[in-house]
Amino acid sequence: MRFNVLTGNAFGWPLRKFLRDLPQDYIGTMSKVQARHGDLVHWRMFAGMVNLAFISDSTLNRELFVRNTDALGKSPSQIQTFLFAAGQSVATAHGEAWRTKRKEANNLFSRSAVEASCAGQVAVTQDYITGLPATPQQALTIARRLAAVTSSRGILGRAISLEEAAKQIAFSKAAADRFNVESGQLFARPDWMQAPWRGELTRRKNEVFPIVQNAVDALRASNAPNDGLMNHYVNGDFITSNDDEMHSILVGLLMGAQDNIAAAAAWVLAFLAQHPDLQNQIRTELSQKGSQASDLHGCALLNATLCEVLRMRPPAPANQPRVLQKRVELAGHQLPKGTYVFNSFYNMHRDPAVFTDPDRFDPTRFLDGTLVRSPSFAPFGHGPRNCVAQGMAMQQLMAIIAGSLRHHRLETNQQTLPAITQMPFLTPAPFEVTFRKIT
């Protein structure tokens, strides 16, 4: 397989139109690239001064993200959004600084640390679902609230109110809205040009930081057991230079665990509502298990269903566009330093050579565990730069399914799956669901 090298406007879009279209329709844009020009495309413009690479081949995508980790960086405008929203993190670091922060993050998201809060996440889900009226409700609203209450339960180690959840949701939305715009702004811009959006994001940040501060203060005052990730900072397993740094880390974790989980949870509701028999099978599986992480990991159909939803509707359809920090050889082709790299997990998840009848929803394809290890299945990315919190994300989603279905039946009047929207995560168009108590 070789790169198809295009120059000038042979690509099919003027650069300005491409950068305008990309944030609104990443899936459509990447699908057009693949359909017109193949799985590997190098677009050279302005005599090679601007280079864009598009990769829809799963094997070479994994090679890039595994063997060339140090060559990959985010665009300056994306980094500016991350820094302003939550401060320094593994998402903004590079080189040795990235390796240090990634090691810290790996330790924080260790399996034992993450799994400690699983039963609590199931419980807050059940409490929320039980409080819903047995009438049609907006599924996106439910999904966003479930993402907020489960992420806070896992990170802060305590349940939050719906008022606090609303503040967390608003903060994450303000950051996501800006990030969606910045994804198309590949080239660095002066900070003053970004001034108009800072006010909204600042206001939302100022609503979320007190939630974290109150949780920290309560833990310090009571010294009560806490199974959230926050406990590792407050009680000294992870040392920060001061409380401001700790608060920024925790707020960043809450932000990162909100919108992508909300999008995935909304798709879970959409698919399950269309398949009542599958709900019954999962409920039977859950009836023989408890709510600890080991119990949910032992539910084969629950896990297979979650994987199939993530295959068909990965919340993040790709890595954020990366910038090569040095020249990289891939498939015998040289991509120069400064090349902007785009990929598509959405396209990879539909490779018919790997996934038979890829447009069909079929959780059983994941039951034997083979496809989970395929390079074509990458809902959390590839290599050392994959999503560091994927274990927490999977646990949240398992807890949401378990807490929703154990005592309730999910219904919808919608005959087909909702359409896809991009905000910037792939979310379903608005639809309604009803949770009915099983007696």
Side-chain angles (χ1 to χ4, degrees), residues 196-212:
W197 62 267
R198 288 181 179 268
E200 172 68 6
L201 189 49
T202 297
R203 183 165 70 88
R204 297 304 184 182
K205 283 171 62 177
N206 290 339
E207 292 177 344
V208 172
F209 271 84
I211 296 174
V212 172

Side-chain angles (χ1 to χ4, degrees), residues 8 21 28 79 81 92 98 140 156 167 173 181 191 262 268 298 319 347 364 391 407 428:
D21 292 348
I79 291 175
T81 301
T92 60
W98 171 79
L140 285 173
L156 303 182
K167 292 177 180 179
K173 183 179 184 303
V181 174
D191 284 350
V268 165
N319 288 112
N347 289 357
T364 63
H407 302 298

Side-chain angles (χ1 to χ4, degrees), residues 257-330:
Q258 177 60 45
D259 286 289
N260 54 351
I261 297 299
W267 284 116
V268 165
L269 298 181
F271 278 97
L272 287 175
Q274 295 291 326
H275 295 84
D277 289 344
L278 178 61
Q279 290 184 50
N280 292 334
Q281 291 174 303
I282 294 175
R283 190 177 299 109
T284 298
E285 194 175 51
L286 288 169
S287 68
Q288 304 168 22
K289 301 286 186 177
S291 296
Q292 298 296 335
S294 58
D295 296 314
L296 300 190
H297 283 299
C299 295
L301 185 59
L302 183 154
N303 283 272
T305 299
L306 181 51
C307 287
E308 180 69 343
V309 172
L310 292 175
R311 181 189 72 83
M312 297 197 72
R313 298 292 189 273
N319 288 112
Q320 298 91 17
R322 303 288 187 171
V323 187
L324 295 185
Q325 306 297 310
K326 61 182 180 182
R327 187 177 63 181
V328 168
E329 180 177 316
L330 199 63

Side-chain angles (χ1 to χ4, degrees), residues 89-345:
S89 70
V90 67
T92 60
H94 190 72
E96 287 301 322
W98 171 79
R99 271 185 281 276
T100 298
K101 289 185 177 296
R102 177 70 189 214
K103 184 177 180 180
E104 293 173 351
N106 286 341
N107 290 333
L108 177 64
F109 287 104
S110 68
R111 182 165 182 167
S112 60
V114 167
E115 291 185 349
S117 61
C118 185
Q121 290 177 320
V122 174
V124 295
T125 298
Q126 288 183 166
D127 288 346
Y128 174 71
I129 297 299
T130 300
L132 290 174
T135 56
Q137 305 290 314
Q138 277 294 332
L140 285 173
T141 299
I142 293 174
R144 288 175 179 134
R145 289 175 176 171
L146 287 175
V149 298
T150 55
S151 62
S152 295
R153 183 60 184 80
I155 293 167
L156 303 182
R158 71 174 184 88
I160 61 171
S161 66
L162 291 184
E163 181 181 3
E164 290 173 317
K167 292 177 180 179
Q168 183 176 322
I169 292 167
F171 165 61
S172 296
K173 183 179 184 303
D177 287 348
R178 188 59 214 172
F179 186 79
N180 199 28
V181 174
E182 291 301 316
S183 292
Q185 301 295 335
L186 300 183
F187 310 110
R189 298 180 299 162
D191 284 350
W192 65 266
M193 292 181 68
Q194 301 181 11
W197 62 267
R198 288 181 179 268
E200 172 68 6
L201 189 49
T202 297
R203 183 165 70 88
R204 297 304 184 182
K205 283 171 62 177
N206 290 339
E207 292 177 344
V208 172
F209 271 84
I211 296 174
V212 172
Q213 179 67 67
N214 291 339
V216 171
D217 290 344
L219 179 56
R220 283 174 171 166
S222 67
N223 200 29
N226 183 293
D227 56 21
L229 298 180
M230 178 185 72
N231 186 55
H232 296 281
Y233 288 102
V234 175
N235 289 323
D237 294 295
F238 287 80
I239 306 300
T240 55
S241 57
N242 54 56
D243 275 9
D244 287 342
E245 181 185 357
M246 178 176 65
H247 296 155
S248 292
I249 291 171
L250 296 173
V251 167
L253 293 177
L254 290 172
M255 179 182 72
Q258 177 60 45
D259 286 289
N260 54 351
I261 297 299
W267 284 116
V268 165
L269 298 181
F271 278 97
L272 287 175
Q274 295 291 326
H275 295 84
D277 289 344
L278 178 61
Q279 290 184 50
N280 292 334
Q281 291 174 303
I282 294 175
R283 190 177 299 109
T284 298
E285 194 175 51
L286 288 169
S287 68
Q288 304 168 22
K289 301 286 186 177
S291 296
Q292 298 296 335
S294 58
D295 296 314
L296 300 190
H297 283 299
C299 295
L301 185 59
L302 183 154
N303 283 272
T305 299
L306 181 51
C307 287
E308 180 69 343
V309 172
L310 292 175
R311 181 189 72 83
M312 297 197 72
R313 298 292 189 273
N319 288 112
Q320 298 91 17
R322 303 288 187 171
V323 187
L324 295 185
Q325 306 297 310
K326 61 182 180 182
R327 187 177 63 181
V328 168
E329 180 177 316
L330 199 63
H333 180 73
Q334 297 289 337
L335 295 174
K337 178 181 178 180
T339 297
Y340 287 87
V341 179
F342 304 82
N343 64 0
S344 176
F345 301 138

Side-chain angles (χ1 to χ4, degrees), residues 340-407:
Y340 287 87
V341 179
F342 304 82
N343 64 0
S344 176
F345 301 138
Y346 188 88
N347 289 357
M348 295 175 199
H349 287 181
R350 279 161 175 72
D351 184 350
V354 179
F355 304 103
T356 305
D357 195 2
D359 291 325
R360 180 167 59 93
F361 178 68
D362 180 15
T364 63
R365 73 173 84 234
F366 281 97
L367 283 176
D368 69 2
T370 301
L371 290 177
V372 173
R373 298 185 294 274
S374 168
S376 294
F377 181 63
F380 299 101
H382 280 144
R385 286 188 177 271
N386 63 2
C387 175
V388 69
Q390 62 180 289
M392 174 64 86
M394 288 295 287
Q395 178 170 293
Q396 277 184 259
L397 292 169
M398 286 193 300
I400 286 171
I401 296 175
S404 298
L405 294 187
R406 197 184 292 274
H407 302 298

